[in-house]
Amino acid sequence: VATESIKFLERFANSKERFFLAAGFYRLHTPFVAPKKWFDLYPLNKIGLPVLSDADRARKPKAAYTSAQKVQDTMSDDQRKEAIQAYQAATSFMDAQVGRIVDALDRLGMAKDTVIVFTSDHGYHLGDHGLWQKRSLFERSARVPFIVAAPGMPSGKAASAPVGMIDIYPTVASLAGLPAPEYLDGKDLSASLKDSTTVINRAVFSQVYDGYSVRTERWRYTEWSGGKNGAVLHDMVADPAEKTNLAGDVTHAETVAEMKQLLAGYIGSSEH
């Protein structure tokens, strides 16, 4: 993918043609294959396994753990470490390929007027919560990397306010000086790129089957079938590993009510 992408960039550089290039890397998809040197970066004796909470071990609420697969429960600890090592090796291998493309932009003198967006289609469990792969509404599965480099924008800044993948289209359109359709649900993040403290979205949302999750800067709240099949509230500042479910804690009843209201507004608008 990197090699072919660089060929396209060389063609565009020579023609001065405007372009949109989507480079979709197969890694980190299974199987986790990479040259040996990338595995050597992550010795097995340096890899630890996630510590599970009581809720993780009991898998409660049940709906939160429906992505669990029996075959993964039969893995030995050594196999779990090998899987984590292979994932990390594939990550570094893929990262190096992204670097080749960025280096080509620099070499061809195109970086100064090219917008770069780096993201993924989903996160990935590596034994955390006793889960592997994807399709849960825990943070590790629902969250993706989201990096934007654009001409005239400051670099090296991290925004803590939530953003969604639906914001990519209007943001890229704005940075390219193109009009975006008014019917888009996503928002232009240009102001946040200029000033990382600017809040564009109060909350963003995820859905897996009958489960809906809302993420604010501090909280992640998820419920299944409107709460009939369970609900969880996690303080992502104090408890980023999501080990303590606060949904039933009366001291957080006001927060739960606020999160439920945000979810209801999102579900109502998406149904229309």
Side-chain angles (χ1 to χ4, degrees):
V1 171
T3 299
E4 292 303 313
S5 296
I6 292 170
K7 290 179 182 178
F8 275 113
L9 292 177
E10 290 171 342
R11 190 190 85 192
F12 292 131
N14 292 329
S15 67
K16 306 299 182 182
E17 182 182 0
R18 293 175 181 267
F19 67 92
F20 177 93
L21 175 62
F25 290 95
Y26 185 77
R27 298 289 171 258
L28 305 166
H29 200 284
T30 52
F32 301 141
V33 177
K36 182 179 181 299
K37 71 174 184 178
W38 303 108
F39 279 78
D40 293 341
L41 294 175
Y42 305 100
L44 283 172
N45 62 0
K46 300 292 185 180
I47 294 176
L49 295 177
V51 177
L52 304 185
S53 67
D54 291 341
D56 292 334
R57 286 189 289 270
R59 288 185 173 166
K60 291 183 179 179
K62 183 179 179 180
Y65 299 87
T66 53
S67 64
Q69 301 179 31
K70 291 182 179 179
V71 65
Q72 293 163 351
D73 290 339
T74 65
M75 293 168 64
S76 66
D77 283 350
D78 286 343
Q79 288 174 322
R80 293 185 175 95
K81 290 181 179 180
E82 288 173 356
I84 294 172
Q85 178 197 45
Y87 185 90
Q88 292 175 334
T91 300
S92 292
F93 177 48
M94 183 276 298
D95 184 64
Q97 308 317 304
V98 175
R100 290 178 60 208
I101 295 177
V102 175
D103 286 346
L105 285 169
D106 288 332
R107 172 173 57 84
L108 296 168
M110 303 169 75
K112 64 181 181 298
D113 56 5
T114 300
V115 176
I116 304 173
V117 179
F118 178 83
T119 190
S120 179
D121 54 347
H122 55 79
Y124 209 85
H125 289 297
L126 292 171
D128 52 295
H129 299 293
L131 301 174
W132 293 83
Q133 299 183 333
K134 57 183 180 180
R135 210 173 288 115
S136 87
L137 285 170
F138 286 110
E139 182 89 350
R140 188 69 176 267
S141 175
R143 186 173 182 173
V144 298
F146 196 163
I147 303 172
V148 180
M153 297 295 179
S155 61
K157 301 294 183 180
S160 59
V163 296
M165 295 180 73
I166 58 173
D167 298 325
I168 295 176
Y169 185 166
T171 302
V172 172
S174 175
L175 293 172
L178 300 172
E182 294 183 0
Y183 57 76
L184 295 179
D185 288 329
K187 298 178 180 179
D188 176 9
L189 302 176
S190 297
S192 182
L193 294 176
K194 294 175 182 176
D195 178 358
S196 60
T197 64
T198 301
V199 177
I200 305 296
N201 296 304
R202 180 187 176 194
V204 292
F205 305 88
S206 306
Q207 178 186 358
V208 175
Y209 305 126
D210 68 338
Y212 290 87
S213 185
V214 54
R215 178 69 155 92
T216 64
E217 189 168 346
R218 178 176 178 181
W219 305 100
R220 175 176 286 282
Y221 174 75
T222 307
E223 62 182 27
W224 293 266
S225 298
K228 296 177 183 177
N229 291 330
V232 295
L233 173 70
H234 292 114
D235 184 337
M236 302 307 299
V237 175
D239 180 30
E242 299 168 294
K243 294 186 178 299
T244 303
N245 181 9
L246 302 173
D249 188 333
V250 294
T251 61
H252 294 284
E254 186 175 332
T255 299
V256 171
E258 179 185 359
M259 296 299 104
K260 290 177 75 71
Q261 185 176 19
L262 287 171
L263 268 187
Y266 167 73
I267 295 171
S269 64
S270 63
E271 289 177 346
H272 291 86

